């Protein structure tokens, strides 16, 4: 029998729902990386044209190639005619010149170079078209189920699509999988060609605002509107967000700053219970003792909103009966925490102590009790 009982943790009683953020973006996704909490999802799983934000997948594959030895930072890669022919945001690469992998990476991150993406794509897969297929395959392996790539850089092309959640996922993976490369995303300028000195500034509008922003990538096409995959860290918390469909660069900048401020000022990360905090007691059949405690397996840290009405519940769920022997630390149930406006959280509850089987007298008493219950049930129910 599944049993549900109300439970409480001291700090939960003081946690309050936050004000929802009404974004002007046509699609958005906000994720608290520190606690794994989705703070906002608006059309987050709809495949949309990602513009240059899809360059993050090209960068992820390049970083993987550096990590497994297929590329080195000082490798000099040849610029093909196809790479040099790209328009839009470029490094102004010339056909036949050779450029280091490190410069190409900065050219993509800081300058949003369409041409730099193609150079890396051709080095890794032979052709850009083949690299796009490889991107799609790798994205699927990573759980990005709403992404299909037709090129390496997000240049408008039918079928080139990513969802906001997928963009948030690749951004998160860039941060966590490649901490040695991630600081590149915070660089505000990169001068590659002195003849194009004006083309050296990072387009990310948040990097100079002093709000902890340190990445990742802007995007803009007529079809996609203005978008940004961003991340900011304040204290021990990191937030990743994705927005798309804004009408102007100014609107993108304002919306991005507003989202960062909302995410950090409306929520705080708190420890609601240390590992070993006892939540409830449950009965044990045929044991040397009659009950065992259910306690938190791990320290419970989660986001709790600052303002609003008190609407947070905690419920311990477990399935009876529990029968001895029971080992300390065995998972016996879970604690389900519900917060207004945020996803529920489920954490395991484990046995607080070992419970040995009962002796002969305990088993005899249990058998007698069972027999008495059947007799009292009557002949029809006992049959």
């Amino acid at each position: 029998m599944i049993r549900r009982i109300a439970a409480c943790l001291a700090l939960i009683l003081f946690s309050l729902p936050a004000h929802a953020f009404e974004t002007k973006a046509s699609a958005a996704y906000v994720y608290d990386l520190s606690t794994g909490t989705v703070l906002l999802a608006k059309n987050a799983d709809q495949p949309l044209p990602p513009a240059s934000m899809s360059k993050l997948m090209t960068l992820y594959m390049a970083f993987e190639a550096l990590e497994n030895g297929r590329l080195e930072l000082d490798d000099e890669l040849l610029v093909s005619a196809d790479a040099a022919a790209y328009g839009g945001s470029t490094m102004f690469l010339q056909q036949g010149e050779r450029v280091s992998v490190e410069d190409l990476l900065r050219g993509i991150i800081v300058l949003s170079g369409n041409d730099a993406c193609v150079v890396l794509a051709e080095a890794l897969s032979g052709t850009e078209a083949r690299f796009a297929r490889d991107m799609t395959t790798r994205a699927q392996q990573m759980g990005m189920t709403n992404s299909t790539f037709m090129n390496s850089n997000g240049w408008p092309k039918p079928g080139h699509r990513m969802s906001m959640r997928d963009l948030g996922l690749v951004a998160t993976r860039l941060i966590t999988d490649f901490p040695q490369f991630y600081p590149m995303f915070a660089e505000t300028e990169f001068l590659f060609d002195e003849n194009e000195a004006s083309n050296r500034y990072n387009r990310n509008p948040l990097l100079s605002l002093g709000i902890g922003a340190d990445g990742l990538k802007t995007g803009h096409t007529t079809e996609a509107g203005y978008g940004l995959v961003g991340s900011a860290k304040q204290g021990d918390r990191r937030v990743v967000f994705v927005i798309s469909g804004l009408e102007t660069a100014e609107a993108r900048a304002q919306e991005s700053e507003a989202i960062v401020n909302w995410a950090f000022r409306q929520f705080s990360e708190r420890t609601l219970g240390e590992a070993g905090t006892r939540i409830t007691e449950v009965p044990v059949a045929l044991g040397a003792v009659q009950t065992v405690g259910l306690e938190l397996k791990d320290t419970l840290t989660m986001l709790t909103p600052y303002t609003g009405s008190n609407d947070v519940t905690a419920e311990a769920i477990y399935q009876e009966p529990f029968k001895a022997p029971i080992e300390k630390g065995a998972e016996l149930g879970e604690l389900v925490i519900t917060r207004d406006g945020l996803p529920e959280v489920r954490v395991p509850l484990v046995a607080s102590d070992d419970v040995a089987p009962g002796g002969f007298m305990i088993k005899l008493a249990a058998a007698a009790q069972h027999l008495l219950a059947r007799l009292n049930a009557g002949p029809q129910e006992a049959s």
Side-chain angles (χ1 to χ4, degrees):
M1 178 178 65
I2 296 177
R3 185 174 295 277
R4 300 170 180 265
I5 62 170
C8 67
L9 296 170
L11 288 176
I12 288 180
L13 296 177
F14 300 99
S15 58
L16 307 166
H19 299 303
F21 187 86
E22 299 294 334
T23 180
K24 298 182 178 78
S26 60
Y29 177 75
V30 184
Y31 179 70
D32 185 89
L33 182 57
S34 305
T35 61
T37 305
V38 177
L39 301 179
L40 173 67
K42 177 182 179 181
N43 298 325
D45 296 307
Q46 181 179 349
L48 297 169
S52 288
M53 296 185 292
S54 66
K55 290 182 171 84
L56 293 179
M57 190 62 200
T58 296
L59 289 164
Y60 188 89
M61 295 186 69
F63 291 157
E64 278 193 324
L66 286 165
E67 197 167 69
N68 63 33
R70 294 174 62 206
L71 286 177
E72 299 289 342
L73 285 174
D74 57 0
D75 284 348
E76 299 276 334
L77 304 184
L78 181 66
V79 179
S80 70
D82 288 339
Y86 261 99
S89 301
T90 72
M91 291 177 66
F92 299 101
L93 299 179
Q94 302 299 311
Q95 179 182 353
E97 71 176 314
R98 293 185 174 273
V99 185
S100 73
V101 169
E102 186 169 5
D103 281 349
L104 291 168
L105 292 173
R106 284 189 166 85
I108 296 171
I109 294 169
V110 181
L111 309 180
S112 196
N114 291 326
D115 46 4
C117 288
V118 180
V119 176
L120 283 172
E122 292 174 343
L124 290 173
S125 299
T127 66
E128 186 185 17
R130 188 175 296 118
F131 182 75
R133 292 193 294 270
D134 292 343
M135 290 171 73
T136 302
T137 299
R138 186 68 183 103
Q140 294 287 328
Q141 294 169 348
M142 294 167 63
M144 298 159 62
T145 56
N146 291 303
S147 294
T148 305
F149 301 94
M150 304 305 292
N151 54 49
S152 63
N153 49 35
W155 189 260
K157 191 169 185 178
H160 190 94
R161 296 289 185 267
M162 294 185 77
S163 70
M164 301 301 101
R165 194 184 305 270
D166 284 359
L167 279 163
L169 190 154
V170 70
T172 298
R173 290 289 298 269
L174 284 165
I175 293 166
T176 58
D177 293 356
F178 303 111
Q180 70 274 39
F181 300 128
Y182 183 67
M184 290 184 184
F185 288 94
E187 295 177 5
T188 57
E189 60 181 276
F190 169 58
L191 179 59
F192 174 73
D193 186 346
E194 292 185 358
N195 295 321
E196 300 291 344
S198 62
N199 182 48
R200 68 178 191 272
Y201 298 108
N202 195 318
R203 294 166 173 79
N204 188 332
L206 301 185
L207 295 181
S208 60
L209 297 184
I211 57 175
D214 56 10
L216 294 157
K217 189 74 193 70
T218 59
H220 170 250
T221 63
T222 301
E223 181 184 19
Y226 288 84
L228 175 65
V229 181
S231 183
K233 185 177 182 182
Q234 296 184 13
D236 294 329
R237 282 185 61 200
R238 176 176 287 280
V239 169
V240 172
F241 69 93
V242 189
I243 54 175
S244 182
L246 279 303
E247 294 184 358
T248 65
E250 291 75 16
R252 173 176 64 190
Q254 292 171 6
E255 193 74 359
S256 299
E257 183 177 2
I259 283 175
V260 171
N261 288 333
W262 168 78
F264 284 111
R265 293 174 181 172
Q266 283 286 308
F267 304 92
S268 65
E269 185 178 358
R270 302 182 187 180
T271 297
L272 304 184
E274 301 289 341
T277 298
R278 186 165 297 199
I279 301 300
T280 189
E281 296 273 337
V282 295
V284 177
L286 304 178
V289 294
Q290 294 184 337
T291 64
V292 67
L294 294 187
E295 64 183 28
L296 292 175
K297 179 180 179 181
D298 304 304
T299 296
L300 176 57
T301 301
M302 60 189 298
L303 289 185
T304 55
Y306 279 120
T307 59
S309 61
N310 195 345
D311 191 13
V312 177
T313 61
E315 187 178 48
I317 300 177
Y318 54 89
Q319 187 164 357
E320 294 181 317
F322 295 114
K323 185 176 180 181
I326 296 173
E327 291 186 4
K328 176 180 173 62
E331 190 169 323
L332 301 181
E334 59 184 359
L335 185 69
V336 181
I337 301 167
T338 306
R339 301 159 291 172
D340 184 56
L342 291 174
E344 72 176 17
V345 175
R346 291 175 175 258
V347 296
L349 295 175
V350 298
S352 60
D353 301 286
D354 291 324
V355 179
F360 173 75
M361 295 304 297
I362 291 176
K363 293 178 181 178
L364 181 62
Q369 187 177 14
H370 179 69
L371 178 60
L372 182 61
R374 288 174 61 87
L375 291 173
N376 289 336
Q380 183 173 2
E381 292 187 37
S383 62

